[in-house]
Amino acid sequence: MIKYSYTIMYVVDVEATIQFYEQAFGFVRKFVTPEQDYGELISGDTTIAFAHIDLASSNLSKGYQQVNKEKPFGIELGFVVDDVLSAIEKVEQAGGTIHESVTVKPWGQTVGYVLDNNGFLIELCTSM
């Protein structure tokens, strides 16, 4: 059996990223290591975690593409919210940015895209 357990994103500042997700989305930190090079949020069945870019370098001998705010990766975190516009306002107040304006899809779902404080893409959407 395989169970999807973690999404780990490599960042420059783990503590600042944890604080961003607490402020922007209301997640609660599970822990941050004393070295502040790894941290996790309580986010439901799948843990959202952040590791310092130095850990990426030590874990990934072939290297990796570091995130930037110019152009997000072709992957996103998806958060279901009751009110997309209010959620986007909280993201902006916490230091994130709007990437795509809110739209209503043909099937009735409201969707907006933001970038976190590192440049990771997040979809904020109503449930289907």
Side-chain angles (χ1 to χ4, degrees):
M1 182 181 109
I2 295 176
K3 179 182 176 187
Y4 180 42
S5 297
Y6 293 88
T7 296
I8 301 172
M9 300 183 299
Y10 293 105
V11 300
V12 172
D13 189 332
V14 172
E15 178 62 29
T17 303
I18 292 284
Q19 288 177 11
F20 172 84
Y21 278 77
E22 288 173 327
Q23 293 170 3
F25 305 112
F27 290 122
V28 175
R29 76 179 58 207
K30 186 173 182 180
F31 74 91
V32 174
T33 61
E35 301 81 12
Q36 294 191 342
D37 62 353
Y38 182 83
E40 295 182 355
L41 295 167
I42 298 170
S43 56
D45 291 337
T46 302
T47 299
I48 300 171
F50 306 97
H52 192 272
I53 58 173
D54 290 346
L55 285 178
S57 297
S58 69
N59 292 339
L60 306 170
S61 64
K62 295 180 183 178
Y64 74 103
Q65 178 66 49
Q66 188 172 338
V67 68
N68 66 60
K69 294 182 181 181
E70 301 297 317
K71 194 172 192 178
F73 295 137
I75 188 170
E76 65 187 55
L77 296 178
F79 299 152
V80 175
V81 298
D82 292 330
D83 183 342
V84 174
L85 289 173
S86 293
I88 287 175
E89 285 178 18
K90 285 183 75 175
V91 167
E92 287 184 298
Q93 290 169 0
T97 58
I98 296 173
H99 188 68
E100 292 288 337
S101 299
V102 175
T103 186
V104 177
K105 299 294 185 179
W107 52 88
Q109 185 182 35
T110 302
V111 177
Y113 294 90
V114 295
L115 298 177
D116 77 358
N117 60 321
N118 300 288
F120 287 107
L121 183 64
I122 300 169
E123 175 185 345
L124 299 170
C125 61
T126 55
S127 62
M128 298 209 359

